Every structure is written in C-alpha cells, then in structure tokens.
Amino acid sequence: SLVLDEMDPDRFYTASIDGTVARQLYSDKEGIRRKVFLETNDWEKWYTGLDISFSSALLVAGRNNGMVSLLSLEGEKVWDLKLHKTKCNFVQFSIRQPWMMVTSI
C-alpha cells in the first residue's frame, strides 16, 4: 500500500510485504530517507492495508494475521488489536468522519 502525504509532497507512507510500515522522504540530494513505524521481523507476517487521516494525524495498518494497528503520524502506537480471524485486506478512514474507519477481510 502507498499513501501520498497531503502536507509534504516529498513524503509518502508505505505498508509492505517485507513486514514494514514506513514514512519515506524523497530528496534530490540524499535519495530516499526512511522512518520505520512498524516492523514484524517475520516473513510470514506482513502489512496488507494502510490509510491515513491527515486531519486526525492518525495512521491505520492491517496485517495478514488479522491484526490492525493505529498510530500517530509521529509513529506512537495508539493500539494494536486483532480485529479479524484471518487476513485484514483493507483499512480506510471515513472522509466525512475522520475518527471513523472500516476494515475488511
């Protein structure tokens, strides 16, 4: 998953099969700088979905084992819950109500 930063056109967020959720900054001089927020350290567990509410400054990420993590945009974990018995394929914040989100398998 890839989400472009609404506040900084040089930043983007990724959730990857390598088990990481990261904020990346593209710079012409330095290439890509990366800050990892979440890391499974397990090739059998990876992140399948990602969304960001910029108005609430929150990031939500779903994993292939049903876990869903909610973090601040600074990377501070708000909660980490098992919301599904199996893979969480999709996570999304509501545009109208940024405090609300949906997940699906």
Side-chain angles (χ1 to χ4, degrees), residues 63-67 82-89 105:
R63 287 197 342 219
N64 71 328
N65 64 350
M67 297 295 292
K82 185 160 181 79
L83 298 183
H84 298 282
K85 291 181 182 180
T86 61
K87 183 178 184 179
C88 177
N89 282 319
I105 53 173

Side-chain angles (χ1 to χ4, degrees), residues 71-95:
L71 296 99
S72 73
L73 288 183
E74 297 304 314
E76 299 166 359
K77 194 175 284 190
V78 176
W79 51 255
D80 196 26
L81 300 171
K82 185 160 181 79
L83 298 183
H84 298 282
K85 291 181 182 180
T86 61
K87 183 178 184 179
C88 177
N89 282 319
F90 181 79
V91 294
Q92 185 173 7
F93 283 102
S94 168
I95 294 169

Side-chain angles (χ1 to χ4, degrees), residues 4-72:
L4 301 174
D5 194 318
E6 291 179 0
M7 296 176 281
D8 184 345
D10 292 332
R11 282 195 316 205
F12 56 97
Y13 296 81
T14 60
S16 178
I17 197 165
D18 71 357
T20 62
V21 171
R23 179 177 64 209
Q24 302 187 51
L25 174 67
Y26 177 76
S27 169
D28 288 337
K29 295 178 183 177
E30 300 175 32
I32 293 178
R33 289 185 299 176
R34 186 174 186 217
K35 177 179 178 183
V36 176
F37 293 141
L38 297 169
E39 193 166 27
T40 62
N41 294 315
D42 185 346
W43 283 98
E44 304 226 355
K45 295 182 179 115
W46 62 86
Y47 290 92
T48 55
L50 171 72
D51 197 25
I52 296 176
S53 170
F54 289 98
S55 62
S56 299
L58 293 171
L59 175 151
V60 64
R63 287 197 342 219
N64 71 328
N65 64 350
M67 297 295 292
V68 177
S69 300
L70 184 70
L71 296 99
S72 73

